[in-house]
Amino acid sequence: MAFFIASSPHTQKRRSLSNMMLLVAICAIPGILAQTYFFGFGTIIQVLFAILVAWSFESIVMLLRGRSPFNALRDNSALLTALLLAIAIPPLSPWWITVIGLFFAIVIAKHLYGGIGQNLFNPAMVAYVVLLISFPVQMTSWATPAQISSTPVGATDALSLIFSGFNIDGMSLQQIRTGVDGITMATPLDTVKTGLGHGQTLSEITSSPLFSGIAGFGWEWVNIMFLIGGLAMIKLRVIQWYIPAGVLAGMLGMSLVLFIIAPGAQGSPLFQLFSGATMLGAFFIATDPVSAATTVKGRLIFGALIGVLVIIIRTFGGFPDGIAFAVIIANMCVPLIDYYTKPRTYGHK
């Protein structure tokens, strides 16, 4: 038998990298459909456009490196990066947001470090952080759920807004955002954070039609669908349970402590678990096999660190969610985590 030496990611199951990446993308479909149902066809448009852009950047870089682009495209890593970034940004973000983000994800965060298996950070989260810091207005302009909006955005309007900045009636996104219904287009996390900063109480904030159920109208269902997709990945052994369990346990524990200390300073622990990109981050982003910890204990610690950081950023930081920042900070800690959690060599005292 031949002995092959290759860079990460490594899996114990006899499954190719391309199949793994494709299964992750397939398991994300329930969450994508839920996000499309509540926030419009912009999500689907962003996903399709992002995949084309990512494939283009991947092909150009591989040609510049003197390698075949077809082999790189077949591993589906560019497809998955595009998918994760497209569903993380607001559905009606302008097209150039996607292009800039994927340039940083594919060219800078991935190929500048040597390509798949060599990147230190999750490429999609690097792109998201760059975009959020550089273009905060565009990156926080989420649509009001269509079911409670007086100006719902159809597929044609979404396509026009993304690529021209105006809908078919000539209204800009800003004009649609300040419609007559008076409902903010911020996420529930952003609404809670802003309201508390302005001295409002949680009961006053959650009286808005934007809040319904556990974590805001539509958002709990999006998270539930990503949770179902994540559990399917565990069942199929595409990922292991350690990192998602660590993320959710870290978030639950930290949010519970802060909720007990100051119950009016943030949402409930259940609100935190089913708001924003929690389940997407726990199952689809933090579990990146290249940039995550590799030991069993290390994965639990890595996940818990992300969960704790998410709650700290949401509560005390300047950004409403914090998944991307938490993942990148935890990526920096991976060498240290792996060093102190590596299993003892057999026979070593």
Side-chain angles (χ1 to χ4, degrees):
M1 292 179 64
F3 180 74
F4 295 97
I5 298 176
S7 62
S8 59
H10 306 293
T11 62
Q12 296 178 340
K13 196 168 181 65
R14 291 182 178 273
R15 179 179 287 143
S16 67
L17 175 63
S18 61
N19 286 341
M20 263 186 59
M21 297 291 183
L22 188 58
L23 280 173
V24 173
I26 291 171
C27 289
I29 290 176
I32 294 172
L33 293 178
Q35 192 166 308
T36 302
Y37 176 76
F38 286 105
F39 301 105
F41 286 96
T43 299
I44 299 294
I45 296 169
Q46 295 285 6
V47 167
L48 296 176
F49 178 62
I51 291 172
L52 291 176
V53 173
W55 281 346
S56 299
F57 280 135
E58 186 86 0
S59 299
I60 292 170
V61 173
M62 293 306 289
L63 288 172
L64 291 174
R65 295 178 64 184
R67 301 182 182 182
S68 169
F70 300 105
N71 292 332
L73 294 178
R74 277 197 293 265
D75 67 20
N76 290 322
S77 60
L79 180 147
L80 185 58
T81 298
L83 184 73
L84 293 177
L85 182 63
I87 57 183
I89 64 176
L92 299 178
S93 299
W95 63 270
W96 48 266
I97 285 285
T98 303
V99 173
I100 293 173
L102 286 170
F103 173 81
F104 275 92
I106 301 295
V107 179
I108 306 297
K110 179 181 176 182
H111 283 288
L112 196 63
Y113 286 93
I116 183 70
Q118 307 297 327
N119 49 287
L120 301 179
F121 306 103
N122 185 297
M125 292 301 96
V126 170
Y128 185 88
V129 167
V130 169
L131 291 173
L132 185 59
I133 293 173
S134 304
F135 311 104
V137 174
Q138 288 80 6
M139 289 296 290
T140 53
S141 297
W142 277 84
T144 303
Q147 293 77 8
I148 59 173
S149 175
S150 63
T151 55
V153 178
T156 307
D157 282 327
L159 187 66
S160 182
L161 281 164
I162 290 170
F163 291 101
S164 72
F166 299 91
N167 68 0
I168 56 176
D169 295 323
M171 295 177 65
S172 68
L173 179 59
Q174 182 62 27
Q175 289 174 311
I176 295 174
R177 292 185 69 212
T178 55
V180 296
D181 57 0
I183 300 174
T184 177
M185 291 184 74
T187 64
L189 280 172
D190 197 7
T191 302
V192 168
K193 192 175 188 65
T194 304
L196 290 174
H198 290 162
Q200 292 180 287
T201 64
L202 276 175
S203 58
E204 291 174 336
I205 297 168
T206 54
S207 64
S208 165
L210 184 65
F211 290 87
S212 173
I214 299 172
F217 194 93
W219 283 99
E220 66 266 28
W221 287 106
V222 172
N223 275 281
I224 287 170
M225 291 298 105
F226 279 121
L227 171 61
I228 291 172
L231 293 176
M233 287 197 295
I234 294 175
K235 177 68 176 178
L236 294 171
R237 296 187 179 181
V238 177
I239 63 171
Q240 294 179 309
W241 62 268
Y242 309 113
I243 292 176
V247 172
L248 299 181
M251 289 184 66
L252 183 62
M254 191 66 188
S255 61
L256 189 60
V257 169
L258 293 177
F259 191 72
I260 292 172
I261 294 173
Q266 63 164 5
S268 68
L270 276 179
F271 173 80
Q272 297 289 350
L273 286 179
F274 289 93
S275 291
T278 297
M279 298 302 171
L280 175 65
F283 289 94
F284 292 88
I285 294 173
T287 53
D288 173 30
V290 177
S291 57
T294 56
T295 66
V296 172
K297 290 181 181 178
R299 287 170 179 166
L300 289 169
I301 295 170
F302 176 80
L305 176 62
I306 291 174
V308 170
L309 287 172
V310 167
I311 299 300
I312 291 174
I313 294 170
R314 286 181 178 182
T315 307
F316 305 107
F319 297 97
D321 200 330
I323 291 287
F325 291 97
V327 168
I328 288 178
I329 293 171
N331 288 158
M332 296 178 187
C333 300
V334 163
L336 187 67
I337 293 172
D338 280 347
Y339 179 80
Y340 284 104
T341 59
K342 60 185 177 183
R344 186 178 294 273
T345 305
Y346 181 75
H348 185 275
K349 293 183 179 180

